[in-house]
Amino acid sequence: MSPLEEAARIIARSRFLVALTGAGISADSGIPTFRGRDGLWSRYRPEDLATPEAFARNPRLVWEWYRWRMEIVFRARPNPGHLALAELERMGLLKCVITQNVDGLHQLAGSRCVVELHGSIRRVRCVSCSYRAELSEPPREIPPRCPRCGSLLRPDVVWFGEPIPRDALEKAFDLCERADAILVIGTSGKVMPAAMLPQIVRSRGGAVVEINIEESDITPIATVFVRGRASEVLPKLVELVRELVGQ
Ligand code: APR
Ligand code: ZN
């Protein structure tokens, strides 16, 4: 049996399947990943652009970088990998997607249950008051100001050194404690606490199905590793599952 067929069997017989996604699932939507050959962190230093200290030091520079990333995200469309996960949810198999991505493409693909561990680049929030807003395009002037109190607005994403939003973290842990299988797609598995979620499923006897173009820090605990691009593998997986469950 091929890894793809084994993965399909695990999904078809799962009772509570969740997914953990990383930048790799959005690569084929034209959104750069962070690590690996042409990743963002090979060209920029996270400590200069994705930390509260960097923002305090130079909000304009940080906003220039985020405006560039927002322009890419607002142009991006969900790819067949995102659409396949939404289909698995519609089939009643996938309960929820836990994502490290901030691009909102799972929701645009039709996934209804999405836990955003690292926030969303489509949202901004005020550094002083409770103002927060969903944007439909990058801000014209940067750094943008809060319309309520005049303070700086920042991207509503989690920077290095910042805590994951409590409700997202609690929901992610609760889902993984109930899961009997987890799809781990397009993540290097290097950033906590996301990287520990597959371990929770595994330690309770659940299956870990990894889809990646190369091995990651998750691979050592994977029940099955399917080498390939998420946008190509996931649609094939859904078709095999459909045959097995007769939908
Ligand atoms: N299909 C499947 N996997 C892919 C594809 C693809 N088309 N392209 C790349 N990958 C894999 C890479 O092999 C790598 O394992 O996706 C992974 C991307 O890893 P990272 O760039 O480290 O992204 P991610 O794991 O999501 O990073 C986690 O780090 O910088 C922070 O907050 C940021 O959410 C991000 C977190
Ligand atoms: Zn404000």
Side-chain angles (χ1 to χ4, degrees):
M1 188 186 321
S2 73
L4 194 69
E5 287 164 332
E6 193 184 345
R9 282 184 191 287
I10 290 169
I11 293 169
R13 68 166 177 252
S14 67
R15 289 283 162 270
F16 198 100
L17 174 72
V18 298
L20 170 68
T21 63
I25 197 170
S26 295
D28 289 350
S29 294
I31 299 178
T33 60
F34 294 95
R35 298 170 186 81
R37 249 181 314 289
D38 53 357
L40 289 173
W41 299 145
S42 64
R43 285 177 276 159
Y44 303 97
R45 285 164 18 109
E47 51 274 25
D48 293 344
L49 296 165
T51 63
E53 296 75 22
F55 187 71
R57 195 171 47 240
N58 191 339
R60 169 174 293 285
L61 172 71
V62 172
W63 261 111
E64 268 158 12
W65 191 63
Y66 272 91
R67 181 158 63 177
W68 169 71
R69 289 184 61 203
M70 288 169 95
E71 275 153 9
I72 296 169
V73 165
F74 281 114
R75 276 199 307 270
R77 287 277 140 285
N79 66 55
H82 298 104
L83 296 169
L85 290 186
E87 179 60 18
L88 271 182
E89 185 184 55
R90 270 193 294 278
M91 291 165 72
L93 283 164
L94 181 63
K95 304 303 178 199
C96 202
V97 176
I98 302 162
T99 189
Q100 300 170 87
N101 300 340
V102 295
D103 56 37
L105 292 183
H106 286 300
Q107 296 92 321
L108 281 178
S111 288
R112 293 209 305 281
C113 183
V114 180
V115 176
E116 292 179 322
L117 286 178
H118 296 163
S120 170
I121 201 169
R122 295 170 184 267
R123 272 195 313 268
V124 289
R125 63 181 163 88
C126 177
V127 295
S128 306
C129 75
S130 61
Y131 177 82
R132 109 182 11 212
E134 195 82 27
L135 297 184
S136 54
E137 59 181 12
R140 282 192 218 305
E141 63 154 66
I142 47 173
R145 292 272 167 189
C146 174
R148 222 187 267 167
C149 75
S151 299
L152 282 175
L153 292 179
R154 57 166 281 178
D156 191 18
V157 299
V158 178
W159 280 328
F160 288 102
E162 293 187 318
I164 304 280
R166 167 185 291 284
D167 52 337
L169 196 57
E170 282 173 2
K171 182 151 186 194
F173 278 116
D174 172 58
L175 286 163
C176 290
E177 260 130 39
R178 296 162 65 194
D180 60 0
I182 184 167
L183 286 176
V184 183
I185 307 161
T187 183
S188 57
K190 293 191 181 305
V191 172
M192 289 295 170
M196 70 170 36
L197 297 173
Q199 182 57 45
I200 293 174
V201 178
R202 182 77 199 219
S203 61
R204 296 179 54 262
V208 176
V209 174
E210 183 176 22
I211 296 162
N212 202 315
I213 54 172
E214 59 190 21
E215 300 202 347
S216 74
D217 288 8
I218 304 291
T219 311
I221 65 158
T223 313
V224 58
F225 176 81
V226 183
R227 188 181 296 273
R229 304 189 73 79
S231 63
E232 293 162 9
V233 166
L234 284 168
K236 286 184 195 141
L237 206 47
V238 170
E239 283 324 301
L240 286 177
V241 169
R242 209 190 291 284
E243 284 164 27
L244 290 170
V245 300
Q247 274 191 33

